[in-house]
Amino acid sequence: MIPVEKTATRRVPPAEICAQAYAEYLRDAKALATTTVINYVPFIRDFLHHCFGDGRVNLSRLRAVDVVSFVQFRAPSLHLKRAKLMTTALRSFLRYARYRGDVTLDLAAAVPVVANWSMPSIPRAISAEQTRQLLASIDRRTSVGRRDYAILLLLARLGLRAGEVAFLELDDINWGAGQVSVRGKGGQRSELPLPAAVGEAIAAYLRHGRPHSASRRVFLRAKAPITGFRGQSGVGSLVRNSLQRAGIDAPTMGAHQFRHGLATQMLSRGASLSEIGEVLGHHHPQTTKIYTSVNIKALRTLALPWPGGVR
């Protein structure tokens, strides 16, 4: 006798449908990491709205001027790294559109290049003393403390990226061999040795801190819903909150400073750039060369004597 309630069906904008199709292509055809898809798709959604609004998306109508005008409109409001990420995502999408046959022109070549200078600044690395102070401040008597301690050790001792820690799964740890399998950028897998202290911290969390869950992620949220972190931002928030509670004036509030700190310590102990690059999972030697600018002690040996001598 009760009439069926009519619910208004929300119309999905054509731009959103196109952006989601591109996201599926990145996941299924290109097998890109989830974080990469999350980073790329919002830029493409903005680009489609900029060009077509809420109307029908006709990619064949796109011209080079549309691409350039969008970059000129968005780039000034973005940080340099975000602007570079935007242009990378845009080139990827335009190659995808050409692959589908929606675009016949090579519009990816029309995407402007964001100015970028090689090694413009010294990496901001957390010091070894600050790392020890931070780890000592974690209350490992609680479940959350055991989780946070294990995560911070992975960042500090293995130099993992925040996303690599967030998406680490139980099957990635080989306890018998003492190794951890890490999925880095581009879906590349690398096997890293699992230091005893790091393994003990993870085991303590799994035994006495990790909530009961069907999730295969190693680290879970402490509050409902009890699932793994959605992305690297969850690990970044954990680092920021831990630094603030400990009252540590670190170079930054992000997780990447531990990666820089590990590289700096390895360099000071005599490790080669190739060894550092292998640990950090760098694919290009140029990426590792930035750490040569932080070894001030070694650089002093290259300094020429001051004319006239020292008085």
Side-chain angles (χ1 to χ4, degrees):
M1 298 297 294
I2 301 175
V4 177
E5 182 180 358
K6 295 182 179 180
T7 57
T9 57
R10 188 176 68 90
R11 176 180 172 271
V12 180
E16 180 64 27
I17 296 175
C18 185
Q20 290 306 316
Y22 169 65
E24 292 178 7
Y25 166 78
L26 294 180
R27 285 192 297 263
D28 301 337
K30 302 292 287 185
L32 295 185
T34 303
T35 51
T36 303
V37 179
I38 293 174
N39 284 328
Y40 280 15
V41 172
F43 289 122
I44 303 309
R45 187 181 295 115
D46 290 347
F47 171 66
L48 294 173
H49 278 295
H50 178 83
C51 296
F52 304 103
D54 292 330
R56 178 171 173 266
V57 173
N58 187 357
L59 297 179
S60 63
R61 291 174 48 195
L62 288 176
R63 295 294 180 266
V65 65
D66 300 317
V67 177
V68 174
S69 66
F70 172 72
V71 174
Q72 291 176 334
F73 171 73
R74 288 286 282 124
S77 62
L78 299 174
H79 186 274
L80 174 61
K81 289 185 177 180
R82 292 291 296 172
K84 285 177 61 63
L85 181 63
M86 176 188 67
T87 54
T88 301
L90 200 53
R91 291 189 190 96
S92 171
F93 174 75
L94 293 172
R95 285 193 292 265
Y96 155 77
R98 193 179 185 189
Y99 162 76
R100 283 174 47 93
D102 298 326
V103 174
T104 56
L105 301 174
D106 184 14
L107 293 179
V111 179
V113 177
V114 177
N116 181 41
W117 290 268
S118 178
M119 295 186 288
S121 61
I122 295 176
R124 291 182 289 179
I126 188 171
S127 68
E129 179 57 35
Q130 288 175 323
T131 300
R132 285 191 291 269
Q133 183 182 346
L134 176 63
L135 292 172
S137 70
I138 304 298
D139 184 4
R140 286 184 277 166
R141 295 171 297 179
T142 67
S143 299
V144 174
R146 295 187 186 99
R147 181 201 65 183
D148 294 355
Y149 183 76
I151 289 177
L152 291 171
L153 269 184
L154 279 170
L155 295 172
R157 301 290 183 259
L158 294 182
L160 299 188
R161 300 177 179 90
E164 293 169 347
V165 174
F167 295 113
L168 194 67
E169 298 194 350
L170 297 172
D171 298 327
D172 293 333
I173 302 177
N174 188 334
W175 296 102
Q179 290 183 330
V180 57
S181 178
V182 178
R183 174 173 292 183
K185 290 184 176 180
Q188 296 288 333
R189 283 278 184 179
S190 58
E191 304 292 333
L192 296 176
L194 187 65
V198 181
E200 291 171 1
I202 296 176
Y205 167 66
L206 294 178
R207 290 174 176 170
H208 309 295
R210 187 177 185 271
H212 294 288
S213 172
S215 173
R216 299 300 296 171
R217 295 276 186 84
V218 174
F219 301 108
L220 304 179
R221 288 164 43 91
K223 298 180 180 179
I226 306 299
T227 59
F229 293 108
R230 293 187 61 184
Q232 61 185 10
S233 60
V235 175
S237 298
L238 182 153
V239 170
R240 181 174 61 255
N241 294 334
S242 299
L243 288 170
Q244 290 174 344
R245 283 196 300 267
I248 297 175
D249 184 19
T252 73
M253 300 303 287
H256 221 66
Q257 62 182 321
F258 294 99
R259 188 173 172 85
H260 294 322
L262 177 63
T264 303
Q265 294 172 38
M266 291 181 65
L267 191 63
S268 64
R269 293 171 184 169
S272 65
L273 290 180
S274 60
E275 291 171 335
I276 296 173
E278 185 176 352
V279 171
L280 298 184
H282 290 162
H283 299 298
H284 304 289
Q286 187 68 26
T287 308
T288 316
K289 284 184 179 179
I290 190 173
Y291 295 107
T292 59
S293 59
V294 303
N295 195 349
I296 304 300
K297 184 177 180 180
L299 289 175
R300 285 198 181 103
T301 62
L302 303 177
L304 296 174
W306 185 260
V310 179
R311 294 182 179 178

